[in-house]
Amino acid sequence: MTSDLRRQLILGAAKRCFARHGYTGTTTKSVAAAAAISEALLFKHFPSKAALYAEILSDECEADPALTELLEREPSTATLVEVIRGMVEHFLHIADGPDQEEAQRLRLMATSHLDDGEFARLLYAKIETLIGAIFVSSLERAVAAGDARLCSGNPLNLFWFAHHSVMTAALTRLPATPCLAYGKAEDLERQLCEFLLRGIGLNDAAIASHLGHNQAAGAGKAAIAESA
């Protein structure tokens, strides 16, 4: 069996184990047993359980048609706005969704920051690979079009600042009784989008034009990786 086929076999077994037992209840030993290989062979392909889980999440994101459509867009101000709008929509709807798997992933991400950080580091690396290039190139186009001011530092940091802000907002909504009352969900989504877009440098005219157009047209629901 080739290395790639073995890797896919392990991932398939891991998906079944995580689906049945959750992240906490799954061990590398149980995944190895499900894949009919030794734990030592599993570690040759994936160094940890966190690496396995992060790879599965990355595969799921890459298979998302909405994300594929977003990544195939021409870099532009409109694409930049859709990246942020999609990220906000994804995170703010986690608490409202019937599937608690996304909520568990968000809790896992938060816990990782308080633990050894391994899972968070792996997932951030996956997100950067998927989204980083389209964000930076779209920001550059927005600056060239006069829709945004020039960033004085690392432009990718602006994406991370936006990501961290919306992830924290989502965490406040996870408990049955939210930690913070933001008001109506639709108002929060709009306000948070405007806040983040201003933070990454877009001017008010560009925000009013592109954010208003996207929401009025019901632009595609892009799930921004992370589903973390």
Side-chain angles (χ1 to χ4, degrees), residues 57-127:
L57 293 185
S58 178
D59 285 350
E60 289 179 358
C61 288
E62 290 178 351
D64 183 349
L67 181 60
T68 299
E69 187 275 332
L70 178 64
L71 296 178
E72 290 176 348
R73 289 187 179 196
E74 282 293 317
S76 65
T77 303
T79 298
L80 181 64
V81 170
E82 180 60 14
V83 168
I84 296 301
R85 190 206 62 79
M87 181 166 63
V88 168
E89 182 182 75
H90 168 73
F91 272 104
L92 293 190
H93 289 184
I94 287 177
D96 303 326
D99 183 1
Q100 287 301 300
E101 187 174 351
E102 288 285 358
Q104 291 302 322
R105 289 173 179 173
L106 183 55
R107 290 187 174 92
L108 176 60
M109 190 69 166
T111 301
S112 179
H113 286 81
L114 301 174
D115 195 4
D116 61 8
E118 180 190 14
F119 177 70
R121 283 192 296 272
L122 288 165
L123 201 54
Y124 284 143
K126 298 291 185 183
I127 295 169

Side-chain angles (χ1 to χ4, degrees), residues 1-214:
M1 183 179 294
T2 66
S3 178
D4 285 345
L5 284 176
R6 180 72 70 187
R7 184 181 179 86
Q8 291 306 311
L9 174 68
I10 294 170
L11 285 173
K15 287 177 183 178
R16 294 192 298 273
C17 290
F18 286 128
R20 187 176 299 115
H21 304 294
Y23 183 83
T24 303
T26 298
T27 64
T28 51
K29 182 177 290 186
S30 66
V31 172
I37 61 172
S38 68
E39 195 174 12
L41 181 54
L42 183 150
F43 286 137
K44 288 184 178 180
H45 293 272
F46 299 96
S48 65
K49 181 173 72 170
L52 261 174
Y53 197 63
E55 187 71 21
I56 289 171
L57 293 185
S58 178
D59 285 350
E60 289 179 358
C61 288
E62 290 178 351
D64 183 349
L67 181 60
T68 299
E69 187 275 332
L70 178 64
L71 296 178
E72 290 176 348
R73 289 187 179 196
E74 282 293 317
S76 65
T77 303
T79 298
L80 181 64
V81 170
E82 180 60 14
V83 168
I84 296 301
R85 190 206 62 79
M87 181 166 63
V88 168
E89 182 182 75
H90 168 73
F91 272 104
L92 293 190
H93 289 184
I94 287 177
D96 303 326
D99 183 1
Q100 287 301 300
E101 187 174 351
E102 288 285 358
Q104 291 302 322
R105 289 173 179 173
L106 183 55
R107 290 187 174 92
L108 176 60
M109 190 69 166
T111 301
S112 179
H113 286 81
L114 301 174
D115 195 4
D116 61 8
E118 180 190 14
F119 177 70
R121 283 192 296 272
L122 288 165
L123 201 54
Y124 284 143
K126 298 291 185 183
I127 295 169
E128 180 174 337
T129 298
L130 285 171
I131 307 296
I134 190 66
F135 176 86
V136 171
S137 57
S138 290
L139 180 58
E140 290 173 349
R141 294 288 181 88
V143 171
D147 292 331
R149 64 179 180 272
L150 184 65
C151 173
S152 59
N154 181 359
L156 191 59
N157 282 348
L158 299 178
F159 172 80
W160 290 126
F161 298 156
H163 183 279
H164 302 337
S165 296
V166 74
M167 184 170 70
T168 303
L171 284 171
T172 70
R173 293 162 54 83
L174 277 187
T177 301
C179 305
L180 189 62
Y182 279 117
K184 295 180 180 179
E186 59 271 23
D187 294 339
L188 172 60
E189 186 174 325
R190 174 78 191 204
Q191 188 176 22
L192 188 50
C193 282
E194 291 177 349
F195 174 80
L196 297 176
L197 290 169
R198 289 192 181 99
I200 64 178
L202 263 66
N203 57 47
D204 286 348
I207 293 172
S209 173
H210 294 284
L211 185 61
H213 171 74
N214 282 348

